Amino acid sequence: MYTQGFLTGALSAAAVYAIYTVLVEGSLSGIKQSSNHDAEFHKNDIASGEDILKYGVPNRGPALRYYRNHILAYDQSKRTPVWVAEHLTKEKLHGNADRRKSKFRPDPAVPSMFSSGNGDYLGSGWSRGHMAPAGDNKYDQEAMDDTFYLTNIVPQDMENNAGFWNRFEMFCRDLTKQFTDVRVISGPLALPNLEEDGKKYVKYEVIGDSMVPVPTHLFKVILTENAETDQHSQFLGAFIVPNVPISSEHKLQKFQVPLEDLERVAGVTFFDKLDKGQVQDLCSSDRCQLIPQKHFEMHFIGRRMENAKTVEELENIWNEMKNKKSKPTKDIKNLYEERKEELMPDRMRAELK
DNA sequence: CTGTTAACC
DNA sequence: GGTTAACAG
């Protein structure tokens, strides 16, 4: 397609035909055409793989790696995953696994020359973004620990990671409330950019001594189904999100793309064995709503209030929120009053009486 | 929840 | 270096 476009754009139709006849038919130079009659000759001419690969195949391709609760294809030349697949269920989202007990570290199974290190990310300006989220593995500490291997990590914009992408991951988890099975495949992309000279270039920063590529975009493919009900209704959505801060004004659907478009740029097909004819659009019926930014903020303000150790700290959180002009919800206000009462020293309480 | 940085032994 | 505490979206 590209070749044809290039040729017809640069040359006349007659010239194109001339080139065609030279290359394919060999009519002008008298080159003997190869035909099906020669097939046997070529067949015998094929070298034996045993000979060529006597000393093994180059071990540089994407390799499948299996962990407790996710599987990924790892690109050793980029020190990042190509894709990471996981299976979300309600059960896996509940438990006592604590991310504070986990540490980012290289997967010991990956040769160090093909692995990134924490030092690559330190001071780089980019955060270590999980592809399989830690929060999807509350049921098991070791499964959560697995997600902290750097094989599962890509350089990600901090605000994107903590904000939009975070809410995107929450959205995936919330889907388990409607569906028994949620399958998610995530990964980095390096997409071409149209530059001033009118040409497209793939350009990305690399960080640290390992030169870890900073993806221009991240993708997710989500497939949901209900095993319990007889209806085979499955829903699928593919998304490409730029690796930059994304304001809460943007809806998730803005980043939805046809699955094939993603597959084309990712160089991978997803859910190959799925009968796509039966599958419906995940985002139909208004199903692709991220949790509202306000609820998102209030959730963490609530957590901070619960952890506040002094009245001053509590007041600071309260005032900080007010300064941001985000009005507290009723729950937050109740929590504030509650904590205030709890943290109030006995003597102060006595003085009030 | 998502993370980083600074300080410490 | 590994762990802890404080901080930020």
Side-chain angles (χ1 to χ4, degrees):
Chain A
M1 197 193 320
Y2 262 87
T3 306
Q4 192 179 13
F6 165 74
L7 287 174
T8 51
L11 306 167
S12 70
V16 170
Y17 181 74
I19 290 171
Y20 175 82
T21 53
V22 170
L23 294 180
V24 178
E25 296 181 349
S27 59
L28 296 185
S29 56
I31 298 169
K32 189 184 177 190
Q33 296 177 43
S34 59
S35 68
N36 289 339
H37 302 298
D38 298 317
E40 282 181 26
F41 169 77
H42 289 294
K43 192 175 169 184
N44 294 334
D45 211 30
I46 293 173
S48 94
E50 280 180 31
D51 181 26
I52 293 175
L53 300 179
K54 182 178 176 184
Y55 297 105
V57 297
N59 180 25
R60 277 185 162 274
L64 283 191
R65 295 193 169 276
Y66 290 74
Y67 299 87
R68 288 174 181 79
N69 194 35
H70 66 280
I71 298 172
L72 57 81
Y74 186 69
D75 186 337
Q76 295 186 152
S77 77
K78 289 189 158 56
R79 266 85 45 189
T80 61
V82 179
W83 53 258
V84 182
E86 42 177 345
H87 178 202
L88 280 61
T89 60
K90 283 190 193 70
E91 296 72 33
K92 293 176 183 172
L93 301 181
H94 302 113
N96 297 321
D98 182 357
R99 62 178 287 130
R100 288 171 300 185
K101 295 177 182 171
S102 303
K103 290 177 299 187
F104 288 104
R105 58 190 170 110
D107 179 346
V110 176
S112 61
M113 73 179 294
F114 296 136
S115 178
S116 64
N118 285 321
D120 296 320
Y121 290 85
L122 189 65
S124 70
W126 299 91
S127 68
R128 293 167 290 192
H130 285 74
M131 290 299 93
D136 290 356
N137 299 275
K138 295 282 288 180
Y139 75 106
D140 183 69
Q141 186 66 50
E142 289 186 318
M144 183 178 284
D145 291 347
D146 277 3
T147 69
F148 280 79
Y149 282 138
L150 294 178
T151 46
N152 182 45
I153 302 298
V154 305
Q156 187 174 3
D157 174 82
M158 183 67 216
E159 201 174 321
N160 179 296
N161 196 358
F164 188 88
W165 193 258
N166 191 3
R167 287 162 66 217
F168 193 6
E169 291 172 341
M170 290 174 175
F171 167 78
C172 295
R173 285 193 282 271
D174 283 343
L175 286 173
T176 62
K177 293 170 182 170
Q178 297 178 53
F179 305 96
T180 60
D181 299 272
V182 176
R183 292 166 209 281
V184 184
I185 305 179
S186 315
L189 295 171
L191 298 186
N193 186 34
L194 182 64
E195 296 199 1
E196 285 182 6
D197 63 1
K199 301 177 182 178
K200 294 170 195 158
Y201 297 85
V202 175
K203 175 180 157 188
Y204 49 82
E205 182 182 353
V206 294
I207 59 173
D209 294 338
S210 309
M211 297 192 289
V212 185
V214 178
T216 64
H217 296 71
L218 302 175
F219 72 82
K220 265 189 196 299
V221 188
I222 304 170
L223 173 66
T224 69
E225 56 193 343
N226 255 322
E228 286 165 354
T229 63
D230 280 338
Q231 55 171 349
H232 293 4
S233 69
Q234 295 168 310
F235 296 92
L236 186 144
F239 305 86
I240 297 180
V241 179
N243 189 14
V244 296
I246 293 171
S247 88
S248 56
E249 311 302 318
H250 295 101
K251 293 188 171 183
L252 174 58
Q253 264 187 275
K254 177 176 175 136
F255 303 98
Q256 189 181 21
V257 298
L259 179 63
E260 276 199 22
D261 288 7
L262 170 60
E263 290 176 330
R264 200 170 287 114
V265 293
V268 182
T269 55
F270 302 100
F271 303 118
D272 235 351
K273 296 173 182 171
L274 180 68
D275 179 8
K276 305 281 203 309
Q278 298 295 320
V279 179
Q280 298 173 263
D281 176 12
L282 178 67
C283 292
S284 62
S285 309
D286 217 23
R287 210 179 285 96
C288 285
Q289 302 297 325
L290 298 185
I291 70 165
Q293 178 69 13
K294 183 170 176 176
H295 292 198
F296 179 67
E297 287 174 3
M298 290 301 156
H299 177 67
F300 301 124
I301 288 173
R303 291 297 291 197
R304 276 202 217 171
M305 285 186 176
E306 285 174 11
N307 293 331
K309 296 183 186 68
T310 65
V311 184
E312 285 88 357
E313 199 180 331
L314 184 66
E315 297 288 359
N316 283 341
I317 297 168
W318 180 257
N319 290 328
E320 189 185 321
M321 174 179 62
K322 282 198 158 180
N323 290 340
K324 281 186 192 165
K325 290 175 185 171
S326 46
K327 294 172 189 166
T329 59
K330 203 193 286 177
D331 289 344
I332 289 294
K333 192 171 181 181
N334 289 341
L335 181 63
Y336 170 67
E337 304 291 355
E338 225 176 274
R339 287 294 289 161
K340 202 165 156 186
E341 190 67 22
E342 282 174 31
L343 292 170
M344 185 116 42
D346 289 340
R347 55 176 173 79
M348 278 186 70
R349 205 170 291 152
E351 283 170 17
L352 285 177
K353 279 184 182 174

